[in-house]
Amino acid sequence: MSEVSQEAIRAYWKEHREQLRQCETQRSTLTNLLLVITAALSALIVQQQFSTYVMPLCLFVALIGAYGAVTVSKYFERASYHLSQARALTKDLVELGALSSDERLVRARADHYLQFPRLHRIRLHRLWVVLHLAIALYGLSLFGVCVAVA
């Protein structure tokens, strides 16, 4: 019975890890798509010499930047959920004796933090949110240029 329980926990753990990876893949895909759209719309806006006709496109760039910031935040929330679930299941596997204790992992983590004392404090999801907010500000800047030219 214990063997079945361990296998069920392992399968559930694997599912959460796969869901975590999927969240990261979706975040990456969305970011790449929004960057391509922003670049294409920027080229069109410049080609049209910042005329009043492209003002909606400028606002659209700002809108997709804001949308991206909210969406990557949601992806982070989902990834955090799946990671916390996987960590809880890992503890269950340790308690059942299916895994050894995590002393080596704790030491490796401490060594990593010593090797990168500043960088480990920067949260990657914040960098992604800032990138998308920068796209939003860029769209508003393009709009400002269009207003100034008009």
Side-chain angles (χ1 to χ4, degrees):
M1 185 67 179
S2 177
E3 219 29 65
V4 173
S5 178
Q6 287 179 10
E7 288 304 314
I9 292 172
R10 285 186 183 125
Y12 199 45
W13 178 89
K14 183 179 178 186
E15 177 66 23
H16 280 291
R17 296 298 293 193
E18 288 173 359
Q19 290 293 324
L20 171 69
R21 284 186 201 95
Q22 183 180 11
C23 288
E24 287 301 304
T25 300
Q26 289 173 335
R27 184 223 19 94
S28 174
T29 302
L30 174 73
T31 299
N32 289 334
L33 178 63
L34 294 185
L35 286 172
V36 167
I37 291 170
T38 299
L41 290 178
S42 296
L44 181 61
I45 291 166
V46 170
Q47 180 193 28
Q48 297 299 314
Q49 299 175 347
F50 299 99
S51 67
T52 56
Y53 299 110
V54 294
M55 284 183 179
L57 295 178
C58 300
L59 294 177
F60 181 70
V61 170
L63 182 66
I64 65 171
Y67 170 79
V70 171
T71 305
V72 298
S73 294
K74 181 61 180 176
Y75 283 139
F76 172 72
E77 179 267 328
R78 296 309 305 160
S80 295
Y81 167 76
H82 291 297
L83 183 60
S84 68
Q85 294 295 303
R87 285 180 175 162
L89 292 168
T90 300
K91 288 179 182 178
D92 288 344
L93 288 170
V94 169
E95 289 173 5
L96 289 172
L99 297 174
S100 62
S101 68
D102 61 351
E103 292 174 20
R104 289 184 192 158
L105 292 175
V106 170
R107 265 187 281 141
R109 188 177 300 125
D111 291 344
H112 174 80
Y113 290 162
L114 287 174
Q115 188 175 6
F116 300 97
R118 291 189 180 117
L119 283 177
H120 86 271
R121 290 189 176 112
I122 299 172
R123 297 291 165 234
L124 189 57
H125 74 277
R126 289 185 182 154
L127 295 176
W128 289 113
V129 170
V130 166
L131 173 64
H132 288 275
L133 291 176
I135 291 172
L137 288 175
Y138 175 69
L140 292 176
S141 299
L142 288 173
F143 183 77
V145 170
C146 287
V147 168
V149 168

